[in-house]
Amino acid sequence: MSNRRDAVHDILRHSDGFRSAQDIYAEMRSDGAKIGLTTVYRALQALADNGKVDVLRTDDGEAVYRACASGDHHHHLVCRRCGRTVEVAGPAVERWAETIGRENGFSDITHTVEVFGTCSSCVAALRAG
Amino acid sequence: MSNRRDAVHDILRHSDGFRSAQDIYAEMRSDGAKIGLTTVYRALQALADNGKVDVLRTDDGEAVYRACASGDHHHHLVCRRCGRTVEVAGPAVERWAETIGRENGFSDITHTVEVFGTCSSCVAALRAG
DNA sequence: GGACAAAATGAAAACCGTTGTCAAAATCGG
DNA sequence: CCGATTTTGACAACGGTTTTCATTTTGTCC
């Protein structure tokens, strides 16, 4: 229904890693799009609610978004330098979380797992740099 | 050296789960302590820098702190209702993260893992309603 | 003790990402 | 077309955190 929402979604689909709302807004504006920051936030919220994009928080509390290929439960391997992100599955981790929870008498167990590293191109760039 | 820093550290050591800066500040004030919010923030920052407390971000971006028993690398099983937290080790997860990273050509691998659930007392409380 | 330098403190302002407000504009239904 | 509903976006408000800066406390050397 919403043209703007799709535009925001498009930006994310063409992006490799996680992007912030302000970041997306800046790109759209510099591309000549007429959109307000509020609308970007609303679009991202809606997309996140519908499970169309994944959200996570950076260390400094900023929310960042990514359109993930898989709708299923998965985790991320994120390059801490360029932001490039790979979706990874971890059945072993899922089981581990479940077990740890039960062993301690917890129910309704969920978990967050993110892996960070420096990707090979960034290692090369750093070596050259 | 700093009396205030120790006071903040004490609050955390007597707390079960993760606490926010404002939360700690409120408790100290209601206990009659003469301390400013700024100082609480500075104390927490210093404690985090020295590895005396663990920090993580809530879903809404607030920073929360906890004085952990173990200085070694560990993760947390947190009750999403009462905040009670258990420190858990996960050698399998450490290895998994490392492997996933290497397989994708990433180096310098780190990770964040948190497990959430509802603890047994909270399940009981909810049942009693 | 006293004096001076360095560090710690806290009230208030600044910051920054995010959310709410509300009137104007676009879209929908009939 | 016309009124009703939804979407939009400029702007203000919000809340957690950080900075500023003047004051107080602490440490040190005599």
Side-chain angles (χ1 to χ4, degrees), chain B residues 1-7 9 13 39 43 46-47 50 52:
Chain B
M1 29 193 75
S2 164
N3 200 357
R4 314 285 182 164
R5 185 161 310 171
D6 290 344
H9 199 183
R13 271 195 255 101
T39 305
L47 289 165
N50 299 350
K52 299 284 179 53

Side-chain angles (χ1 to χ4, degrees), chain A residues 2-98:
Chain A
S2 165
N3 200 355
R4 315 285 182 166
R5 187 162 307 170
D6 290 343
V8 170
H9 199 182
D10 277 344
I11 293 275
L12 282 177
R13 272 195 254 100
H14 300 148
S15 303
D16 233 2
F18 283 86
R19 315 268 316 256
S20 74
Q22 317 245 4
D23 185 16
I24 293 164
Y25 170 69
E27 174 171 339
M28 297 182 81
R29 292 300 287 227
S30 80
D31 283 357
K34 278 185 49 198
I35 192 171
L37 183 54
T38 311
T39 305
V40 174
Y41 273 107
R42 272 193 290 240
L44 289 170
Q45 222 165 317
L47 290 165
D49 286 350
N50 300 350
K52 298 286 178 52
V53 305
D54 286 4
V55 196
L56 59 87
R57 294 266 171 187
T58 63
D59 278 348
D60 54 320
E62 201 178 12
V64 287
Y65 304 82
R66 182 168 190 272
C68 284
S70 155
D72 296 350
H73 178 78
H74 63 271
H75 302 292
H76 301 107
L77 170 59
V78 186
C79 175
R80 68 168 64 83
R81 187 160 173 278
C82 71
R84 187 160 76 82
T85 299
V86 180
E87 299 172 33
V88 298
V93 176
E94 321 298 335
R95 281 193 301 272
W96 170 82
E98 195 67 28

